[in-house]
Amino acid sequence: MLKEHQPLANVKSRMLWLFSGLLFLVFFIMSWSSYYVAQKSISHQIESHSLPLTSDNVYSQIQRDLVQPIFVATLMAHDTFVRDWALQPSPPSEPMQRYLQEIDRRFGTIISFFLLEKDRRYYLPHIADHIIDENNPRYAWYEQVKALPASQPYLVTVGPDEERPGQMDIYIDHKVFDYQQQLIGITGVGLSVNKVAEMINHYEQRYQRTIYFVDRQGRVVLHGDNFDDGDTLQQIPGMQQIASRLLSEPAGSYHYLLGDEKVFVNARLVPEFNWYLVVEEHELLSQQAVFHAFMINLAVAALITLLVLGLSLLTQGRYHRKLAVQAALDPLTKAMNRQSCEEFYELLLEQCRHQQQPLSLLVLDIDHFKAINDHYGHDMGDRVLKRLVSELRSQTRYADAICRWGGEEFVLLLGNCERHKAWELAERIRQRIMALTFSAGEESFSITISCGITQAKPGETMAQVVKRADFALYQAKANGRNQVCHTDD
């Protein structure tokens, strides 16, 4: 099968090399044109091209590095574990503290927390929960977050670190709603301002520009170590010439005079924080940096070209290696096939291990399926199989896996599901299937299923789990079929 695709593979390889060459040529021409134009008209080049490009690059990386805590807080606020835990009458502290510890470990946040609305109880990863005093100024943010409009689910603030005197942090406080959109708590994370300052220092050194953040009133809220121009835009020498314009527009390019030197400014609003990202460049420094920027652009172009080429060749190689591998889905029922189910089991088992959740497996078999094929034909047998999978999907969660294990035997992988819950699900499925009616001409018939259930043990392979579930399935058949049995483990 692979040999049949060799000519096509050779053509694609040549096209990839040609595309990579053209890509690098385009980068080279663009970089040279930018360098030439900048030499002829440095002021126009800086204001119209290089500074906005730098601002775009910085903004993209700011989005990646600085906005991550917002994504983390949003994920926490929509995590079903958090909501289900908070909706308990008296939720225990330990699961939430373990959850917050895992958030800090995985995402590198300096603090994560959850505040339960119904009793004002405040949970931290390594500190016993306590009830907050709403009159304490330390918790003024609590009422601010609750007062946010519906269109604004979170609040971003910069304030002192209560655990580390003298340090400042960025806090993202996110409202948590139940399944009826009623407020049940506030969760969030903190990011050290020192870490952000280090990030700004890195960008300033890399791009040879001055970078800082200001709020909507013009107050400087974040900056690098070398910034000492003032606490507001109006206090920065020369900046008062453009401060009002900058703060009235979502984005723009400006310049002001500092003595005889022209300083170029690019600013854009970062909506997630409601701050302006301000990037400054001095004309004299840019004259020296133009050639270096040209060389850096060529190096970046070569790197990007090689990266695109490498990824393309890698993707192409994987594609041809997978030509001999069967499709991930069973062509008849569109359920997972056996191979993809085994791969999914490994991923699900690892996920359940990390989250300390149970994993159950259900094996089911259509009773007397051969008789259906013999009496009504294989087309009717196919209809029965497809209808069965459709019913399984209607009774299971989106994250559950349905696999056609072979013939009329199916396997269900149920993450975060204990054995007794799996038994209840299997029993519902059995009753649902038993109630189905199939028409074959003037005749009609019903089907039943037998099920075997077990719960996976740590480190257990899928073959081992299926073997135990099969044993339970055989018990169900030996006991007369149309029933659910489970292993005693």
Side-chain angles (χ1 to χ4, degrees), residues 152-255:
Q152 185 179 350
Y154 62 86
L155 177 68
V156 180
T157 56
V158 177
D161 190 323
E162 299 291 344
E163 307 300 328
R164 301 179 302 164
Q167 301 290 328
M168 298 292 287
D169 296 330
I170 299 175
Y171 296 99
I172 296 89
D173 307 314
H174 202 299
K175 292 186 286 188
V176 181
F177 297 95
D178 62 14
Y179 299 102
Q180 285 74 43
Q181 296 304 303
Q182 300 297 316
L183 182 68
I184 57 175
I186 297 173
T187 190
V189 295
L191 178 69
S192 173
V193 169
N194 290 341
K195 182 178 179 180
V196 179
E198 292 174 2
M199 178 183 65
I200 294 176
N201 289 333
H202 169 72
Y203 294 154
E204 288 184 335
Q205 294 174 7
R206 177 177 178 182
Y207 297 110
Q208 294 299 303
R209 272 88 172 177
T210 302
I211 303 170
Y212 54 95
F213 290 89
V214 299
D215 62 17
R216 299 300 291 265
Q217 288 72 45
R219 293 187 295 266
V220 178
V221 290
L222 288 176
H223 56 77
D225 293 339
N226 298 325
F227 184 90
D228 57 1
D229 293 338
D231 295 330
T232 66
L233 287 182
Q234 291 76 9
Q235 294 176 357
I236 298 175
M239 180 62 83
Q240 58 268 28
Q241 305 169 25
I242 61 170
S244 59
R245 289 175 53 206
L246 186 152
L247 296 173
S248 63
E249 300 172 352
S253 296
Y254 318 92
H255 66 265

Side-chain angles (χ1 to χ4, degrees), residues 386-419:
K386 289 191 285 187
R387 181 67 183 278
L388 172 64
V389 172
S390 176
E391 292 298 326
L392 292 177
R393 287 201 177 98
S394 71
Q395 297 300 311
T396 55
R397 301 166 298 183
Y398 178 80
D400 296 334
I402 304 171
C403 164
R404 186 179 181 185
W405 197 248
E408 70 275 18
E409 188 174 62
F410 291 83
V411 168
L412 273 64
L413 297 179
L414 310 172
N416 192 19
C417 181
E418 295 181 348
R419 190 181 63 183

Side-chain angles (χ1 to χ4, degrees), residues 61-346:
Q61 297 192 56
I62 290 293
Q63 289 285 80
R64 182 195 67 190
D65 296 337
L66 194 57
V67 180
Q68 184 193 26
I70 292 182
F71 294 150
V72 175
T74 303
L75 287 173
M76 294 169 64
H78 293 85
D79 194 323
T80 54
F81 163 77
V82 173
R83 289 192 282 186
D84 292 343
W85 175 88
L87 290 172
Q88 298 179 68
S90 298
S93 301
E94 291 78 7
M96 177 54 66
Q97 289 186 308
R98 286 197 301 269
Y99 176 83
L100 296 175
Q101 291 169 11
E102 183 68 10
I103 290 294
D104 287 345
R105 186 190 67 82
R106 290 182 59 189
F107 299 103
T109 53
I110 63 169
I111 187 173
S112 58
F113 71 90
F114 184 85
L115 200 161
L116 191 59
E117 165 67 12
K118 60 186 176 184
D119 59 6
R120 308 296 195 272
R121 195 168 291 276
Y122 190 55
Y123 296 86
L124 292 169
H126 299 286
I127 302 176
D129 59 277
H130 60 275
I131 298 175
I132 68 169
D133 180 3
E134 298 178 50
N135 297 319
N136 189 331
R138 176 179 178 180
Y139 299 106
W141 57 268
Y142 172 66
E143 294 298 332
Q144 294 175 352
V145 176
K146 290 179 60 177
L148 291 175
S151 60
Q152 185 179 350
Y154 62 86
L155 177 68
V156 180
T157 56
V158 177
D161 190 323
E162 299 291 344
E163 307 300 328
R164 301 179 302 164
Q167 301 290 328
M168 298 292 287
D169 296 330
I170 299 175
Y171 296 99
I172 296 89
D173 307 314
H174 202 299
K175 292 186 286 188
V176 181
F177 297 95
D178 62 14
Y179 299 102
Q180 285 74 43
Q181 296 304 303
Q182 300 297 316
L183 182 68
I184 57 175
I186 297 173
T187 190
V189 295
L191 178 69
S192 173
V193 169
N194 290 341
K195 182 178 179 180
V196 179
E198 292 174 2
M199 178 183 65
I200 294 176
N201 289 333
H202 169 72
Y203 294 154
E204 288 184 335
Q205 294 174 7
R206 177 177 178 182
Y207 297 110
Q208 294 299 303
R209 272 88 172 177
T210 302
I211 303 170
Y212 54 95
F213 290 89
V214 299
D215 62 17
R216 299 300 291 265
Q217 288 72 45
R219 293 187 295 266
V220 178
V221 290
L222 288 176
H223 56 77
D225 293 339
N226 298 325
F227 184 90
D228 57 1
D229 293 338
D231 295 330
T232 66
L233 287 182
Q234 291 76 9
Q235 294 176 357
I236 298 175
M239 180 62 83
Q240 58 268 28
Q241 305 169 25
I242 61 170
S244 59
R245 289 175 53 206
L246 186 152
L247 296 173
S248 63
E249 300 172 352
S253 296
Y254 318 92
H255 66 265
Y256 63 87
L257 294 177
L258 184 61
D260 296 331
E261 182 184 9
K262 184 179 289 187
V263 180
F264 299 93
V265 179
N266 188 277
R268 64 165 60 195
L269 185 66
V270 182
E272 293 86 353
F273 286 87
N274 205 24
W275 297 340
Y276 282 93
L277 167 65
V278 182
V279 182
E280 293 185 1
E281 180 175 356
H282 290 250
E283 187 176 32
L284 292 179
L285 292 176
S286 300
Q287 292 283 359
Q288 301 172 358
V290 168
F291 181 74
H292 295 291
F294 169 65
M295 299 304 296
I296 290 175
N297 285 340
L298 286 185
V300 171
L303 179 62
I304 292 176
T305 302
L306 291 175
L307 181 62
V308 170
L309 178 62
L311 290 175
S312 300
L313 291 174
L314 179 62
T315 303
Q316 185 186 46
R318 287 180 176 176
Y319 169 75
H320 288 291
R321 285 193 299 271
K322 289 183 179 179
L323 286 178
V325 180
Q326 59 185 348
L329 299 179
D330 171 54
L332 173 64
T333 63
K334 306 307 178 185
M336 280 187 179
N337 61 21
R338 187 165 183 162
Q339 178 178 342
S340 60
C341 185
E342 290 173 345
E343 294 173 355
F344 183 77
Y345 169 82
E346 298 297 331

